[in-house]
Amino acid sequence: MRYNDEDIEFANLILTDRENLDDVEVNAWMEDPEHVKLLQEFATAYQVRMNKNFDRDKEKEFARLERDIYERKSRRMTLRWSVAASIILLVGLFVGRTVTEWRDLDDARVLAKTERNVPGAKAELILSTGERVVLDRKNVAIEGLNEMGIRNDSVTGLDYATAKVEGKEIMYNTMRIPVGGFYQLALSDGSKVWLNSMTELRFPVTFTGEQRKVYLTGEAYFEVTHDSVHPFIVETPDGMEVKVYGTEFNMNTYEKGVVQTVLVKGKVGVRGGVLGKEVVLAPEQMAVYREKTGEIQVENVDPYKYVAWKDGEFVFERETIEEIMGRLSRWYDVKVFYSDESLKQKRFTGAISRYKDIEQVLHLIEGPATLHFEIKGNVVTVQGGQ
């Protein structure tokens, strides 16, 4: 559907001037499922273009936003929200925000690359000698006994573009991301890696030899620099390898004995162990390797659900509350208890910013999921809703 200017402008008003709109008019407009989809996409595009002044030259900005909406549809998943659930979530997420507030949120996301979501939690770099360097929001050069030329940037993260080592021996460094942490890393070949909470990546200071090999525990998103001569390999503790030549993909090893690989673009080969058969993935496919059986299952997916964490979002599509609370506990460092085991199987669909407080996130979930969350310190108790 091609949205007209009136619908686009009304969506803009809902996001920025909701308090001055008539409730009956808003509810009537949102009875159309296409309007709900527009508001979802508009809110996403708004975050991308939050540095724009929407009060200036509206016709031009609306046209650009409309293009953004259609461009993003090729990457974003289409969430099958009911109209009622959409209203609850979108009002909770976006109603009443001003353009200035969106800019503030963008600044918070930039700082979150180096300032941890959990107070006091800091990413660590472990050098080849075992020396630990705490990474905080400073532009500094990092050197050890065996390595030099490593730079830590306050915005773009750790950069090994100019890194060097003493001698010809391969020297490894390790990035360790704590609960509630998030960090970006540029490897010596120019490949970029985004590291999620509770993640560890071991990698050479400089790549030498016939392959570029790194070791992952946790979750990371890779943008690999193309090099047909030197394949890039990611190995996990579960004995799985992903072999790539230049591509974008996400790997998740949080569940013990299970490795999940989602390909965004390019081509990767997934192998369960050195002697296992290689399975080649196409874009928008996911491979799930289970160490217990040694099998690799492949299915078609929309990648955005699995990579949205990199862009500062939780995206849930009919996920169980148990799965959702597992993700939230890794980010907010909370322990979760259930008043009834059956509550674990309730499901929820929605998209929520990772930079909200956990109280706000849980409040947005409990209505549509008919639950109640009680928070005391770092303990969350899940109870049935009324």
Side-chain angles (χ1 to χ4, degrees):
M1 175 179 178
R2 185 173 179 82
Y3 306 110
N4 58 42
D5 289 343
E6 289 76 15
D7 285 335
I8 292 176
E9 183 162 9
F10 197 72
N12 175 58
L13 290 174
I14 289 177
L15 295 179
T16 61
D17 197 25
R18 174 63 182 87
E19 63 273 15
N20 292 321
L21 297 179
D22 181 74
D23 289 341
V24 174
E25 187 178 5
V26 171
N27 291 335
W29 186 83
M30 291 191 69
E31 285 179 359
D32 185 340
E34 293 298 326
H35 290 166
V36 174
K37 291 180 182 179
L38 168 63
L39 194 55
Q40 293 168 356
E41 296 291 346
F42 197 102
T44 300
Y46 215 149
Q47 293 181 60
V48 173
R49 302 186 60 80
M50 61 186 69
N51 62 324
K52 297 293 182 181
N53 186 341
F54 288 92
D55 292 326
R56 239 184 8 218
D57 197 6
K58 285 187 176 181
E59 183 177 348
K60 180 179 179 182
E61 287 302 327
F62 288 151
R64 296 174 96 171
L65 276 168
E66 191 174 23
R67 285 200 304 273
D68 280 355
I69 289 168
Y70 281 94
E71 288 171 0
R72 286 186 68 85
K73 279 187 175 178
S74 64
R75 292 193 64 185
R76 278 189 69 94
M77 58 185 289
T78 302
L79 299 175
R80 303 176 187 85
W81 292 13
S82 67
V83 173
S86 297
I87 292 173
I88 291 171
L89 286 172
L90 288 168
V91 167
L93 283 168
F94 305 115
V95 166
R97 285 201 179 276
T98 63
V99 173
T100 300
E101 287 173 319
W102 283 112
R103 288 177 183 146
D104 290 343
L105 179 58
D106 188 46
D107 290 341
R109 287 183 173 183
V110 171
L111 292 178
K113 291 182 177 180
T114 49
E115 289 184 347
R116 304 299 139 228
N117 193 60
V118 175
K122 298 285 186 181
E124 274 189 330
L125 174 65
I126 304 173
L127 301 178
S128 58
T129 58
E131 180 185 355
R132 298 172 184 269
V133 179
V134 175
L135 301 174
D136 50 21
R137 193 160 52 88
K138 295 178 181 178
N139 294 319
V140 296
I142 298 173
E143 294 188 357
L145 290 176
N146 302 317
E147 55 271 274
M148 62 198 75
I150 306 166
R151 294 208 59 83
N152 186 44
D153 187 274
S154 62
V155 175
T156 59
L158 209 57
D159 192 341
Y160 278 70
T162 59
K164 297 179 181 179
V165 296
E166 293 285 351
K168 296 182 179 180
E169 184 182 350
I170 298 178
M171 297 291 175
Y172 285 90
N173 283 181
T174 300
M175 278 282 290
R176 185 171 291 168
I177 313 301
V179 172
F182 173 68
Y183 223 85
Q184 185 174 332
L185 167 67
L187 299 171
S188 63
D189 67 336
S191 297
K192 294 180 180 179
V193 190
W194 285 259
L195 304 171
N196 205 353
S197 175
M198 295 179 66
T199 293
E200 184 171 301
L201 184 74
R202 183 171 178 260
F203 56 93
V205 176
T206 59
F207 288 112
T208 59
E210 297 180 355
Q211 62 185 22
R212 299 168 289 165
K213 193 170 188 177
V214 301
Y215 303 84
L216 173 69
T217 301
E219 183 171 28
Y221 183 90
F222 294 85
E223 284 186 5
V224 178
T225 299
H226 178 75
D227 184 344
S228 60
V229 178
H230 302 94
F232 191 97
I233 297 174
V234 184
E235 184 175 312
T236 74
D238 305 287
M240 190 184 109
E241 287 188 352
V242 172
K243 183 178 181 180
V244 303
Y245 292 94
T247 188
E248 294 184 28
F249 63 101
N250 193 82
M251 285 187 68
N252 182 330
T253 76
Y254 285 134
E255 184 179 349
K256 185 175 178 56
V258 177
V259 181
Q260 184 187 82
T261 305
V262 177
L263 182 60
V264 176
K265 66 180 182 180
K267 183 178 179 181
V268 302
V270 178
R271 186 190 305 275
V274 178
L275 301 177
K277 181 180 178 181
E278 183 176 81
V279 176
V280 177
L281 295 186
E284 300 188 359
Q285 285 189 328
M286 175 175 70
V288 179
Y289 167 73
R290 300 185 187 279
E291 183 184 19
K292 187 174 182 179
T293 63
E295 295 180 351
I296 299 174
Q297 295 179 322
V298 178
E299 61 180 291
N300 296 324
V301 298
D302 187 318
Y304 193 77
K305 169 185 174 181
Y306 302 92
V307 305
W309 64 268
K310 180 177 75 73
D311 299 322
E313 288 186 335
F314 291 115
V315 174
F316 309 115
E317 186 179 20
R318 284 196 54 74
E319 287 192 44
T320 66
I321 293 302
E322 184 176 24
E323 292 169 331
I324 290 171
M325 295 309 295
R327 292 170 64 181
L328 296 184
S329 66
R330 284 192 296 268
W331 184 244
Y332 291 105
D333 193 20
V334 295
K335 296 179 180 178
V336 183
F337 295 92
Y338 297 85
S339 63
D340 189 316
E341 288 293 304
S342 66
L343 300 177
K344 293 180 178 181
Q345 301 310 312
K346 287 204 171 192
R347 294 183 180 272
F348 173 78
T349 293
I352 304 174
S353 168
R354 292 213 312 173
Y355 298 100
K356 286 182 172 292
D357 294 334
I358 190 170
E359 292 86 353
Q360 295 173 293
V361 173
L362 295 178
H363 178 69
L364 294 171
I365 293 173
E366 63 183 0
T370 61
L371 293 168
H372 174 68
F373 298 99
E374 183 177 289
I375 306 171
K376 291 185 178 180
N378 70 332
V379 176
V380 176
T381 301
V382 184
Q383 302 171 343
Q386 300 299 321

